[in-house]
Every structure is written in C-alpha cells, then in structure tokens.
Amino acid sequence: MLRRAVLKEKEIEGDDNIDLIEQTVRFALGRGYDVVLEGILARSRYGPMLGRLANSSPFTYAYYVDVSFEETLCRHASKPNAHEFGEKEMRGRWLENDVLDFRGEKSFGAELSLKESIGLIVSEIGKPQCSSS
C-alpha cells in the first residue's frame, strides 16, 4: 500500500518505499503499537530491511504463505483491488519459496483458509482472538 498508493512507485531498484516501510514500522513500534507488515516482500529487495526490523524488536514473527501461482491468482481475484493488476503483472513478480530464513519463520499453504491462517497466527503470538470474522 505504501509503495503503490502513497508513493505511486513501481518495483525498481532503490525504491523509496523500502525506507518508508521501515520508518513507518519503527514509528508505530516506538509508540507501542503492534505491527503487522504484510505484502509481497521479495527477499532480494526487502530482506535487509526486514532483517533490521526483526533484529530491533524482541517479538518478531515471520510467516510465509506457501501456495501455488494458480492459488495466488484465485486468492487475488477475491480482493477488492483485483482490477488494479492481474496475472501478467503478478507473473512478473512471482517468486516461489522466497522465504526469509528468519529464526522461527513458519510456512502454511492452501490447506488453511484465510480465517484459519489468522487463527494460527493469533494463537502463536498470544493475543486474544476477535469474535468478528
């Protein structure tokens, strides 16, 4: 969201969004917020920044959604912004098994629904679950 909507950047080397993401996360953490950083964050481009953030916080959890490209397309089609980009753009950015190799990083696949994935994450971080879907 920061890259596409705020900065209106394409994926290019030296993206300003990497610094903005890091500053935004640090700002929120510094004020006591819980932060969920979510997105297609390629290890080659975002890995160093993600490593710095992970090392600066005592509570860091990393999850990788390990689904096929076809499943990714199906999930994308259900999103409100699905019309903004499609298969061609996604295929150009697709990286299979692009895990970060952070200590404790966990993967889950298509066997879990969105609700089940959220439930797994929430149970692992020890926060009470919300009653709404």
Side-chain angles (χ1 to χ4, degrees), residues 52-127:
R52 288 189 302 273
L53 288 173
N55 290 330
S56 70
S57 177
F59 303 104
T60 299
Y61 301 86
Y63 297 91
Y64 179 77
V65 181
D66 188 12
V67 297
S68 68
F69 183 71
E70 292 72 25
E71 178 65 18
T72 299
L73 287 175
C74 289
R75 291 178 179 204
H76 174 69
S78 70
K79 294 170 58 177
N81 70 336
H83 66 283
E84 293 179 15
F85 57 94
E87 180 176 354
K88 180 181 175 187
E89 295 83 2
M90 292 173 69
R91 194 169 292 283
R93 296 181 61 208
W94 175 254
L95 297 168
E96 188 169 2
N97 198 35
D98 192 38
V99 296
L100 294 167
D101 291 325
F102 284 179
R103 186 190 65 219
E105 181 177 18
K106 296 194 176 162
S107 294
F108 49 85
E111 73 280 357
L112 295 181
S113 69
L114 175 61
K115 187 174 183 176
E116 291 168 328
S117 300
I118 292 169
L120 170 76
I121 293 168
V122 168
S123 70
E124 289 188 353
I125 63 173
K127 299 289 181 186

Coordinates of all heavy atoms in Angstrom, one line a residue, residues 52-127:
R52 N 16.7 -5.9 9.6 CA 16.9 -4.9 10.6 C 15.7 -4.7 11.5 O 15.9 -4.6 12.7 CB 17.2 -3.5 9.8 CG 18.6 -3.5 9.2 CD 18.9 -2.1 8.7 NE 17.9 -1.5 7.7 CZ 18.0 -1.7 6.4 NH1 18.9 -2.4 5.9 NH2 17.1 -1.1 5.7
L53 N 14.5 -4.7 10.9 CA 13.3 -4.6 11.8 C 13.2 -5.8 12.7 O 12.9 -5.6 13.9 CB 12.1 -4.5 10.9 CG 11.9 -3.2 10.1 CD1 10.7 -3.3 9.2 CD2 11.7 -2.0 11.1
A54 N 13.4 -7.0 12.2 CA 13.3 -8.2 13.1 C 14.3 -8.1 14.2 O 14.0 -8.5 15.4 CB 13.5 -9.5 12.2
N55 N 15.5 -7.7 13.9 CA 16.6 -7.6 15.0 C 16.3 -6.5 16.0 O 16.9 -6.5 17.0 CB 17.9 -7.5 14.3 CG 18.3 -8.7 13.6 OD1 18.0 -9.8 14.0 ND2 19.1 -8.6 12.6
S56 N 15.5 -5.5 15.6 CA 15.3 -4.4 16.5 C 14.1 -4.6 17.5 O 13.8 -3.7 18.3 CB 15.1 -3.1 15.7 OG 13.8 -3.1 15.0
S57 N 13.4 -5.7 17.3 CA 12.2 -5.9 18.2 C 12.3 -7.3 18.9 O 12.7 -8.2 18.2 CB 10.9 -5.9 17.3 OG 9.8 -6.2 18.1
P58 N 12.0 -7.3 20.2 CA 12.1 -8.6 20.9 C 11.1 -9.6 20.5 O 11.2 -10.8 20.7 CB 12.0 -8.2 22.3 CG 11.2 -6.9 22.3 CD 11.6 -6.2 21.0
F59 N 10.0 -9.1 19.9 CA 8.9 -10.0 19.5 C 8.7 -9.9 18.0 O 8.0 -9.0 17.5 CB 7.6 -9.7 20.2 CG 7.8 -9.8 21.7 CD1 7.9 -8.6 22.5 CD2 7.9 -11.0 22.4 CE1 8.1 -8.7 23.8 CE2 8.1 -11.0 23.7 CZ 8.2 -9.9 24.5
T60 N 9.2 -10.8 17.2 CA 9.1 -10.8 15.8 C 8.6 -12.2 15.3 O 9.2 -13.2 15.8 CB 10.4 -10.5 15.1 OG1 10.8 -9.1 15.5 CG2 10.3 -10.5 13.6
Y61 N 7.6 -12.2 14.5 CA 7.1 -13.4 14.0 C 7.1 -13.3 12.4 O 6.7 -12.2 11.9 CB 5.7 -13.7 14.4 CG 5.6 -13.8 15.9 CD1 5.4 -12.6 16.7 CD2 5.6 -15.0 16.6 CE1 5.3 -12.7 18.1 CE2 5.6 -15.1 18.0 CZ 5.4 -14.0 18.7 OH 5.3 -14.0 20.1
A62 N 7.5 -14.3 11.8 CA 7.5 -14.3 10.3 C 6.7 -15.5 9.8 O 7.0 -16.6 10.2 CB 9.0 -14.3 9.8
Y63 N 5.9 -15.2 8.8 CA 5.0 -16.3 8.2 C 5.1 -16.1 6.7 O 5.1 -15.0 6.1 CB 3.6 -16.1 8.6 CG 3.4 -16.3 10.1 CD1 3.5 -15.2 11.0 CD2 3.2 -17.6 10.7 CE1 3.4 -15.4 12.3 CE2 3.1 -17.7 12.0 CZ 3.1 -16.6 12.9 OH 3.0 -16.8 14.2
Y64 N 5.2 -17.3 6.0 CA 5.2 -17.3 4.6 C 4.0 -18.1 4.1 O 3.9 -19.3 4.5 CB 6.6 -18.0 4.1 CG 6.7 -18.1 2.6 CD1 7.0 -17.0 1.9 CD2 6.5 -19.3 2.0 CE1 7.1 -17.1 0.5 CE2 6.6 -19.4 0.6 CZ 6.9 -18.3 -0.1 OH 7.0 -18.4 -1.5
V65 N 3.3 -17.5 3.2 CA 2.1 -18.2 2.6 C 2.6 -19.0 1.4 O 3.0 -18.4 0.4 CB 1.0 -17.3 2.3 CG1 -0.2 -18.0 1.7 CG2 0.5 -16.5 3.5
D66 N 2.7 -20.3 1.5 CA 3.3 -21.1 0.5 C 2.2 -21.8 -0.3 O 1.8 -22.9 -0.1 CB 4.2 -22.2 1.2 CG 5.0 -23.0 0.2 OD1 5.1 -22.6 -1.0 OD2 5.5 -24.0 0.6
V67 N 1.8 -21.0 -1.3 CA 0.7 -21.5 -2.3 C 1.2 -21.4 -3.7 O 2.1 -20.6 -4.0 CB -0.6 -20.8 -2.1 CG1 -1.2 -21.0 -0.7 CG2 -0.5 -19.3 -2.4
S68 N 0.6 -22.2 -4.6 CA 1.0 -22.2 -6.0 C 0.6 -20.8 -6.6 O -0.2 -20.1 -6.1 CB 0.3 -23.3 -6.7 OG -1.1 -23.0 -6.8
F69 N 1.2 -20.6 -7.8 CA 0.8 -19.4 -8.5 C -0.6 -19.4 -8.9 O -1.3 -18.3 -8.8 CB 1.7 -19.2 -9.8 CG 1.4 -17.9 -10.5 CD1 1.8 -16.7 -10.0 CD2 0.7 -18.0 -11.7 CE1 1.5 -15.5 -10.7 CE2 0.4 -16.8 -12.4 CZ 0.8 -15.6 -11.9
E70 N -1.2 -20.5 -9.2 CA -2.6 -20.6 -9.6 C -3.5 -20.3 -8.4 O -4.5 -19.6 -8.5 CB -2.9 -22.0 -10.1 CG -2.3 -22.3 -11.5 CD -0.8 -22.5 -11.4 OE1 -0.2 -22.9 -10.4 OE2 -0.1 -22.3 -12.5
E71 N -3.1 -20.8 -7.2 CA -3.9 -20.4 -6.0 C -3.7 -19.0 -5.7 O -4.7 -18.3 -5.2 CB -3.4 -21.3 -4.8 CG -4.1 -21.0 -3.5 CD -5.6 -21.3 -3.5 OE1 -6.0 -22.1 -4.3 OE2 -6.3 -20.8 -2.6
T72 N -2.6 -18.4 -5.9 CA -2.4 -17.0 -5.7 C -3.3 -16.2 -6.6 O -3.9 -15.2 -6.1 CB -0.9 -16.6 -6.0 OG1 -0.1 -17.3 -5.1 CG2 -0.7 -15.1 -5.8
L73 N -3.4 -16.6 -7.9 CA -4.4 -15.9 -8.8 C -5.8 -16.0 -8.3 O -6.5 -15.0 -8.3 CB -4.3 -16.5 -10.2 CG -3.0 -16.1 -11.0 CD1 -3.0 -16.9 -12.3 CD2 -2.9 -14.6 -11.2
C74 N -6.2 -17.1 -7.8 CA -7.6 -17.3 -7.3 C -7.8 -16.4 -6.1 O -8.8 -15.8 -6.0 CB -7.8 -18.8 -6.9 SG -7.9 -19.9 -8.3
R75 N -6.9 -16.4 -5.2 CA -7.0 -15.5 -4.0 C -7.0 -14.0 -4.4 O -7.8 -13.2 -3.8 CB -5.9 -15.8 -3.0 CG -6.0 -17.2 -2.4 CD -4.9 -17.5 -1.4 NE -5.1 -18.8 -0.8 CZ -4.6 -19.2 0.3 NH1 -3.9 -18.4 1.1 NH2 -4.8 -20.4 0.8
H76 N -6.2 -13.7 -5.3 CA -6.1 -12.3 -5.8 C -7.5 -11.9 -6.4 O -7.9 -10.7 -6.1 CB -5.0 -12.1 -6.8 CG -5.0 -10.7 -7.5 ND1 -4.7 -9.6 -6.8 CD2 -5.3 -10.3 -8.7 CE1 -4.7 -8.6 -7.6 NE2 -5.2 -9.0 -8.7
A77 N -8.1 -12.8 -7.1 CA -9.4 -12.4 -7.7 C -10.5 -12.1 -6.7 O -11.4 -11.4 -7.1 CB -9.9 -13.6 -8.6
S78 N -10.3 -12.5 -5.5 CA -11.3 -12.2 -4.5 C -11.1 -10.9 -3.7 O -11.9 -10.5 -2.9 CB -11.4 -13.4 -3.5 OG -10.2 -13.4 -2.7
K79 N -10.0 -10.2 -4.1 CA -9.7 -9.0 -3.4 C -10.4 -7.8 -4.0 O -10.6 -7.8 -5.2 CB -8.1 -8.8 -3.4 CG -7.4 -9.8 -2.6 CD -5.9 -9.7 -2.9 CE -5.3 -8.4 -2.5 NZ -3.8 -8.3 -2.7
P80 N -10.7 -6.8 -3.2 CA -11.4 -5.6 -3.7 C -10.5 -4.9 -4.8 O -11.1 -4.2 -5.6 CB -11.6 -4.7 -2.5 CG -11.3 -5.5 -1.3 CD -10.5 -6.7 -1.7
N81 N -9.2 -5.0 -4.7 CA -8.4 -4.2 -5.7 C -7.9 -5.1 -6.9 O -7.0 -4.8 -7.6 CB -7.2 -3.6 -5.0 CG -6.2 -4.6 -4.5 OD1 -6.5 -5.8 -4.3 ND2 -4.9 -4.2 -4.4
A82 N -8.6 -6.3 -7.1 CA -8.2 -7.2 -8.1 C -8.1 -6.6 -9.5 O -7.3 -7.0 -10.3 CB -9.1 -8.4 -8.1
H83 N -8.9 -5.6 -9.7 CA -8.9 -4.9 -11.0 C -7.7 -4.0 -11.3 O -7.4 -3.7 -12.4 CB -10.2 -4.0 -11.1 CG -10.2 -2.9 -10.2 ND1 -10.4 -3.0 -8.8 CD2 -9.9 -1.6 -10.4 CE1 -10.3 -1.9 -8.2 NE2 -10.0 -0.9 -9.1
E84 N -6.9 -3.7 -10.2 CA -5.7 -2.8 -10.4 C -4.5 -3.5 -11.0 O -3.7 -2.8 -11.6 CB -5.3 -2.3 -9.0 CG -6.4 -1.4 -8.4 CD -6.0 -0.9 -7.0 OE1 -4.8 -1.0 -6.6 OE2 -6.8 -0.4 -6.3
F85 N -4.4 -4.8 -10.9 CA -3.3 -5.5 -11.6 C -3.8 -7.0 -11.7 O -4.6 -7.5 -11.0 CB -2.0 -5.4 -10.9 CG -2.0 -5.8 -9.5 CD1 -1.6 -7.1 -9.1 CD2 -2.4 -5.0 -8.5 CE1 -1.7 -7.5 -7.8 CE2 -2.4 -5.3 -7.1 CZ -2.0 -6.6 -6.8
G86 N -3.2 -7.7 -12.7 CA -3.6 -9.0 -13.0 C -2.5 -10.0 -13.1 O -1.4 -9.8 -12.7
E87 N -2.8 -11.1 -13.9 CA -1.9 -12.2 -14.0 C -0.6 -11.8 -14.6 O 0.5 -12.3 -14.1 CB -2.5 -13.3 -14.9 CG -1.6 -14.5 -15.1 CD -2.3 -15.7 -15.8 OE1 -3.5 -15.6 -16.1 OE2 -1.5 -16.6 -16.1
K88 N -0.6 -11.0 -15.6 CA 0.7 -10.6 -16.3 C 1.6 -9.9 -15.3 O 2.8 -10.3 -15.2 CB 0.4 -9.7 -17.4 CG 1.6 -9.2 -18.2 CD 1.3 -8.3 -19.3 CE 2.6 -7.7 -19.9 NZ 2.3 -6.7 -20.9
E89 N 1.1 -9.0 -14.5 CA 2.0 -8.3 -13.5 C 2.4 -9.2 -12.4 O 3.5 -9.1 -12.0 CB 1.2 -7.1 -13.0 CG 0.9 -6.0 -14.0 CD -0.4 -6.2 -14.8 OE1 -1.1 -7.3 -14.6 OE2 -0.7 -5.4 -15.6
M90 N 1.5 -10.1 -12.0 CA 1.8 -11.0 -10.9 C 2.8 -12.0 -11.3 O 3.7 -12.3 -10.6 CB 0.5 -11.6 -10.4 CG -0.4 -10.7 -9.7 SD -2.0 -11.4 -9.3 CE -1.6 -12.5 -8.0
R91 N 2.7 -12.5 -12.6 CA 3.7 -13.5 -13.0 C 5.1 -12.9 -13.1 O 6.1 -13.5 -12.8 CB 3.3 -14.0 -14.4 CG 4.0 -15.2 -14.8 CD 3.4 -15.9 -16.0 NE 2.1 -16.5 -15.9 CZ 1.9 -17.7 -15.2 NH1 2.9 -18.3 -14.7 NH2 0.7 -18.1 -15.2
G92 N 5.2 -11.6 -13.4 CA 6.5 -10.9 -13.5 C 7.1 -10.8 -12.1 O 8.3 -10.6 -12.0
R93 N 6.4 -10.8 -11.0 CA 6.9 -10.7 -9.7 C 6.9 -12.0 -8.9 O 7.4 -12.0 -7.8 CB 6.0 -9.7 -8.9 CG 6.1 -8.3 -9.5 CD 5.3 -7.3 -8.8 NE 5.7 -7.1 -7.4 CZ 5.0 -6.8 -6.4 NH1 3.7 -6.5 -6.6 NH2 5.5 -6.7 -5.2
W94 N 6.4 -13.0 -9.5 CA 6.2 -14.3 -8.7 C 7.6 -14.9 -8.4 O 8.4 -15.1 -9.3 CB 5.4 -15.3 -9.6 CG 5.3 -16.7 -9.0 CD1 5.9 -17.8 -9.4 CD2 4.5 -17.0 -7.9 NE1 5.6 -18.8 -8.6 CE2 4.7 -18.4 -7.7 CE3 3.6 -16.4 -7.0 CZ2 4.1 -19.1 -6.6 CZ3 3.0 -17.1 -6.0 CH2 3.3 -18.4 -5.8
L95 N 7.7 -15.2 -7.1 CA 8.9 -15.9 -6.7 C 8.5 -17.1 -5.8 O 8.0 -16.9 -4.7 CB 9.8 -15.0 -5.8 CG 10.4 -13.8 -6.6 CD1 11.0 -12.8 -5.6 CD2 11.4 -14.2 -7.6
E96 N 8.8 -18.3 -6.3 CA 8.4 -19.5 -5.5 C 9.4 -19.7 -4.3 O 10.6 -19.5 -4.5 CB 8.4 -20.7 -6.4 CG 7.9 -21.9 -5.7 CD 7.6 -23.0 -6.7 OE1 7.9 -22.9 -7.9 OE2 7.1 -24.1 -6.3
N97 N 8.9 -20.0 -3.2 CA 9.7 -20.4 -2.0 C 10.7 -19.3 -1.6 O 11.8 -19.5 -1.3 CB 10.4 -21.7 -2.2 CG 10.8 -22.3 -0.9 OD1 10.2 -22.1 0.1 ND2 12.0 -22.9 -0.9
D98 N 10.2 -18.0 -1.6 CA 11.0 -16.9 -1.3 C 11.0 -16.6 0.2 O 10.6 -15.5 0.6 CB 10.6 -15.6 -2.1 CG 11.6 -14.5 -2.1 OD1 12.8 -14.7 -2.1 OD2 11.1 -13.3 -2.0
V99 N 11.3 -17.6 1.0 CA 11.3 -17.4 2.4 C 12.5 -16.5 2.9 O 13.5 -16.4 2.2 CB 11.3 -18.8 3.1 CG1 10.1 -19.6 2.8 CG2 12.6 -19.6 2.8
L100 N 12.3 -16.0 4.1 CA 13.4 -15.1 4.6 C 14.4 -15.8 5.4 O 15.5 -15.3 5.6 CB 12.7 -14.1 5.5 CG 11.8 -13.1 4.8 CD1 11.0 -12.3 5.8 CD2 12.6 -12.1 3.9
D101 N 14.1 -17.1 5.8 CA 15.0 -17.8 6.6 C 15.3 -17.2 8.0 O 16.4 -17.3 8.5 CB 16.4 -18.1 5.9 CG 16.2 -19.1 4.7 OD1 15.3 -20.0 4.9 OD2 16.9 -18.9 3.7
F102 N 14.3 -16.5 8.5 CA 14.4 -15.9 9.8 C 14.2 -17.1 10.8 O 13.5 -18.0 10.6 CB 13.3 -14.9 10.1 CG 13.5 -13.6 9.5 CD1 12.5 -12.6 9.6 CD2 14.6 -13.3 8.7 CE1 12.7 -11.4 9.1 CE2 14.8 -12.0 8.2 CZ 13.8 -11.1 8.3
R103 N 14.9 -17.0 12.0 CA 14.7 -18.0 13.0 C 13.2 -18.0 13.4 O 12.5 -17.0 13.6 CB 15.5 -17.6 14.3 CG 15.5 -18.6 15.4 CD 16.1 -18.1 16.6 NE 15.2 -17.0 17.1 CZ 15.6 -15.9 17.6 NH1 16.9 -15.6 17.8 NH2 14.8 -14.9 18.0
G104 N 12.6 -19.2 13.4 CA 11.2 -19.3 13.8 C 10.2 -19.0 12.7 O 9.0 -19.1 12.9
E105 N 10.7 -18.7 11.5 CA 9.7 -18.4 10.4 C 8.9 -19.7 10.1 O 9.4 -20.8 10.1 CB 10.5 -18.0 9.1 CG 9.7 -17.7 7.9 CD 10.4 -17.2 6.7 OE1 11.7 -17.5 6.7 OE2 9.8 -16.6 5.8
K106 N 7.6 -19.5 9.9 CA 6.7 -20.6 9.6 C 6.0 -20.4 8.3 O 5.8 -19.3 7.9 CB 5.7 -20.7 10.7 CG 6.3 -21.0 12.0 CD 5.3 -21.4 13.1 CE 6.1 -21.8 14.3 NZ 5.3 -21.8 15.5
S107 N 5.8 -21.5 7.6 CA 5.0 -21.5 6.4 C 3.7 -22.3 6.5 O 3.6 -23.2 7.3 CB 5.8 -22.3 5.3 OG 7.0 -21.6 5.0
F108 N 2.7 -21.8 5.8 CA 1.5 -22.6 5.7 C 1.0 -22.4 4.3 O 1.3 -21.5 3.6 CB 0.5 -22.2 6.8 CG 0.2 -20.7 6.9 CD1 -0.7 -20.0 6.1 CD2 0.9 -20.0 7.9 CE1 -0.9 -18.7 6.2 CE2 0.7 -18.6 8.0 CZ -0.2 -18.0 7.2
G109 N 0.2 -23.4 3.9 CA -0.2 -23.5 2.5 C -1.7 -23.3 2.3 O -2.4 -22.9 3.1
A110 N -2.1 -23.8 1.1 CA -3.5 -23.6 0.7 C -4.5 -24.5 1.5 O -5.7 -24.3 1.5 CB -3.7 -24.0 -0.8
E111 N -3.9 -25.4 2.3 CA -4.8 -26.2 3.2 C -5.5 -25.4 4.3 O -6.5 -25.8 4.8 CB -4.0 -27.4 3.9 CG -3.1 -27.0 5.0 CD -1.7 -26.4 4.5 OE1 -1.5 -26.4 3.3 OE2 -0.9 -26.0 5.4
L112 N -5.0 -24.2 4.6 CA -5.6 -23.3 5.5 C -6.3 -22.2 4.8 O -5.8 -21.5 3.9 CB -4.5 -22.7 6.4 CG -3.7 -23.6 7.4 CD1 -2.7 -22.8 8.2 CD2 -4.6 -24.4 8.3
S113 N -7.5 -21.9 5.3 CA -8.3 -20.8 4.8 C -7.7 -19.5 5.4 O -6.9 -19.6 6.3 CB -9.8 -20.9 5.2 OG -9.9 -20.8 6.6
L114 N -8.2 -18.4 4.9 CA -7.7 -17.1 5.5 C -8.0 -17.0 7.0 O -7.2 -16.7 7.8 CB -8.4 -15.9 4.8 CG -8.1 -14.5 5.3 CD1 -6.6 -14.2 5.3 CD2 -8.9 -13.5 4.6
K115 N -9.3 -17.4 7.4 CA -9.6 -17.4 8.8 C -8.8 -18.3 9.6 O -8.3 -18.0 10.7 CB -11.1 -17.8 8.9 CG -11.7 -17.6 10.3 CD -13.2 -17.9 10.3 CE -13.7 -17.7 11.7 NZ -15.1 -17.8 11.8
E116 N -8.5 -19.5 9.1 CA -7.6 -20.5 9.8 C -6.2 -19.9 9.9 O -5.5 -20.1 10.9 CB -7.6 -21.8 9.1 CG -8.9 -22.6 9.2 CD -9.0 -23.8 8.2 OE1 -8.4 -23.7 7.1 OE2 -9.7 -24.7 8.6
S117 N -5.7 -19.3 8.9 CA -4.4 -18.7 8.9 C -4.3 -17.6 9.9 O -3.3 -17.6 10.7 CB -4.0 -18.1 7.5 OG -4.0 -19.1 6.5
I118 N -5.3 -16.8 10.0 CA -5.3 -15.7 11.0 C -5.3 -16.3 12.4 O -4.6 -15.9 13.3 CB -6.4 -14.8 10.8 CG1 -6.2 -14.0 9.5 CG2 -6.6 -13.8 12.0 CD1 -7.4 -13.2 9.0
G119 N -6.2 -17.4 12.6 CA -6.3 -18.1 13.9 C -5.0 -18.7 14.3 O -4.6 -18.6 15.5
L120 N -4.2 -19.3 13.4 CA -2.9 -19.8 13.7 C -2.0 -18.7 14.2 O -1.3 -18.9 15.2 CB -2.4 -20.5 12.5 CG -0.9 -21.0 12.6 CD1 -0.8 -22.2 13.4 CD2 -0.3 -21.2 11.2
I121 N -1.9 -17.7 13.4 CA -1.0 -16.6 13.8 C -1.4 -16.0 15.1 O -0.5 -15.8 16.0 CB -1.0 -15.5 12.7 CG1 -0.3 -16.1 11.4 CG2 -0.2 -14.2 13.1 CD1 -0.5 -15.2 10.2
V122 N -2.6 -15.7 15.3 CA -3.1 -15.1 16.6 C -2.8 -16.0 17.8 O -2.3 -15.6 18.8 CB -4.6 -14.7 16.5 CG1 -5.2 -14.4 17.9 CG2 -4.8 -13.6 15.5
S123 N -3.0 -17.3 17.6 CA -2.7 -18.2 18.7 C -1.3 -18.3 19.0 O -0.9 -18.4 20.2 CB -3.3 -19.6 18.4 OG -2.5 -20.2 17.4
E124 N -0.4 -18.1 18.0 CA 1.0 -18.2 18.3 C 1.6 -16.9 18.9 O 2.5 -17.0 19.7 CB 1.8 -18.5 17.0 CG 1.5 -19.9 16.5 CD 2.4 -20.3 15.4 OE1 3.1 -19.5 14.8 OE2 2.4 -21.5 15.0
I125 N 1.0 -15.8 18.6 CA 1.5 -14.6 19.2 C 0.9 -14.3 20.6 O 1.3 -13.3 21.2 CB 1.4 -13.4 18.3 CG1 -0.1 -13.0 18.0 CG2 2.2 -13.6 17.0 CD1 -0.2 -11.7 17.2
G126 N -0.1 -15.1 21.0 CA -0.7 -14.9 22.3 C -1.7 -13.8 22.5 O -1.9 -13.4 23.6
K127 N -2.2 -13.3 21.4 CA -3.2 -12.2 21.6 C -4.6 -12.9 21.6 O -4.9 -13.9 20.9 CB -3.1 -11.3 20.4 CG -1.8 -10.6 20.3 CD -1.6 -9.6 21.4 CE -0.2 -8.9 21.3 NZ 0.1 -8.1 22.4

